[in-house]
Amino acid sequence: MDKYQQTIETFDAVAEQYWQNFKDFKLYQPSYDWFCDYLPQHPPQNQVDLLEIACGPGNVSHYLLKKNPSIKLCGIDLAPKMVALAKKHNPQAQYSLLDCRQILSLNQTFDAIMCGFCIPYISEHDYQTLIQDMAAMLNPSGVLYLSTTIGSQSEEGFKGSSSANGAVYVHYHALDDILNCLTHHGLQIIGHKNLIHRHNEQSTEDVFILAKKLQDSTISTEQVRS
């Protein structure tokens, strides 16, 4: 079975459990607050058009919408049960079943993009293309949140969980390569923060990156991949 498909099926099978485990996961909330501090303001309504990639069951959406009700959120995921739960928990937002490799098909630009722990589950080529596409879809001065797990490429492979059935294929990407890819596509690094904690009975290092699209960036969805 394709490693992407098996990963999707595993996430789909544990959707409800994922919601219960992460609906109020305080460990990551400071990084969401950091992201919210940089969201653009558009008076008088201050509406922020936000795309959430790999939205899962809507746990991050739920936090963002409570913190900033002016957010107009569009979320995507490839696990049907995750999307169904996201719709249930955040009826004011819009969600759809969509591959992150196809986000240009949305034909829309955004003031902010939340991409939490998506790239650990896609290849180097696919995450680099995703960054290129996200840069094209951000409005000038738009903000991107990107998080991933740090590890050695030699440790890549299917990973199980002590609390759920199934396995997901995990990729480890070098932080410097991610940062270089962001800047290459017209995004200025605001900063990055590392967090070491226990997950699945082992030490895990996560990194949270904020980047901003430069005002004079001329990248467009028409130019991307040309």
Side-chain angles (χ1 to χ4, degrees):
M1 182 185 293
D2 176 82
K3 61 186 179 182
Y4 282 4
Q5 186 60 37
Q6 184 167 339
T7 297
I8 293 161
E9 291 182 5
T10 298
F11 275 123
D12 200 54
V14 301
E16 183 59 49
Q17 185 174 349
Y18 193 99
W19 166 259
Q20 293 299 328
N21 290 343
F22 291 99
K23 63 181 179 181
D24 190 29
F25 195 63
K26 292 182 170 52
L27 202 60
Y28 293 160
Q29 288 176 1
S31 72
Y32 307 151
D33 294 338
W34 185 38
F35 172 61
C36 287
D37 288 342
Y38 281 90
L39 292 180
Q41 299 296 314
H42 302 295
Q45 291 86 7
N46 287 329
Q47 178 177 298
V48 178
D49 290 317
L50 188 151
L51 172 64
E52 184 180 1
I53 297 171
C55 65
N59 50 301
V60 178
S61 302
H62 194 70
Y63 184 87
L64 295 176
L65 291 168
K66 284 180 65 177
K67 186 173 180 65
N68 189 339
S70 66
I71 289 174
K72 182 181 179 183
L73 191 143
C74 169
I76 66 165
D77 202 284
L78 257 184
K81 291 180 182 176
M82 290 287 197
V83 172
L85 284 174
K87 290 179 178 179
K88 173 184 174 182
H89 297 303
N90 306 290
Q92 70 273 50
Q94 293 185 335
Y95 296 96
S96 58
L97 201 64
L98 185 68
D99 193 318
C100 69
R101 295 170 292 180
Q102 299 172 345
I103 57 172
L104 292 181
S105 68
L106 292 170
N107 293 318
Q108 186 178 349
T109 60
F110 296 88
D111 301 310
I113 297 177
M114 160 67 67
C115 186
F117 295 105
C118 173
I119 68 173
Y121 305 107
I122 58 177
S123 68
E124 180 179 7
H125 172 270
D126 286 342
Y127 97 71
Q128 291 176 347
T129 302
L130 176 60
I131 287 176
Q132 183 179 28
D133 292 349
M134 291 190 295
M137 296 176 74
L138 273 175
N139 293 325
S141 298
V143 178
L144 170 66
Y145 172 110
L146 190 66
S147 57
T148 190
T149 300
I150 300 298
S152 169
Q153 287 189 336
S154 63
E155 299 173 337
E156 288 188 0
F158 283 103
K159 309 288 183 182
S161 169
S162 59
S163 60
N165 294 325
V168 296
Y169 195 97
V170 178
H171 299 261
Y172 294 106
H173 307 298
L175 176 58
D176 285 347
D177 291 344
I178 296 171
L179 297 177
N180 288 337
C181 187
L182 290 165
T183 56
H184 177 74
H185 292 294
L187 298 169
Q188 182 180 53
I189 307 301
I190 295 171
H192 60 86
K193 299 180 180 182
N194 291 50
L195 174 67
I196 299 175
H197 61 102
R198 298 290 294 178
H199 181 67
N200 285 335
E201 301 179 355
Q202 62 184 7
S203 179
T204 298
E205 183 177 5
D206 297 328
V207 61
F208 309 93
I209 305 166
L210 280 193
K212 182 177 183 179
K213 186 167 184 176
L214 299 176
Q215 283 275 9
D216 60 353
S217 176
T218 56
I219 297 173
S220 70
T221 53
E222 288 75 23
Q223 293 171 305
V224 77
R225 301 184 189 173
S226 60

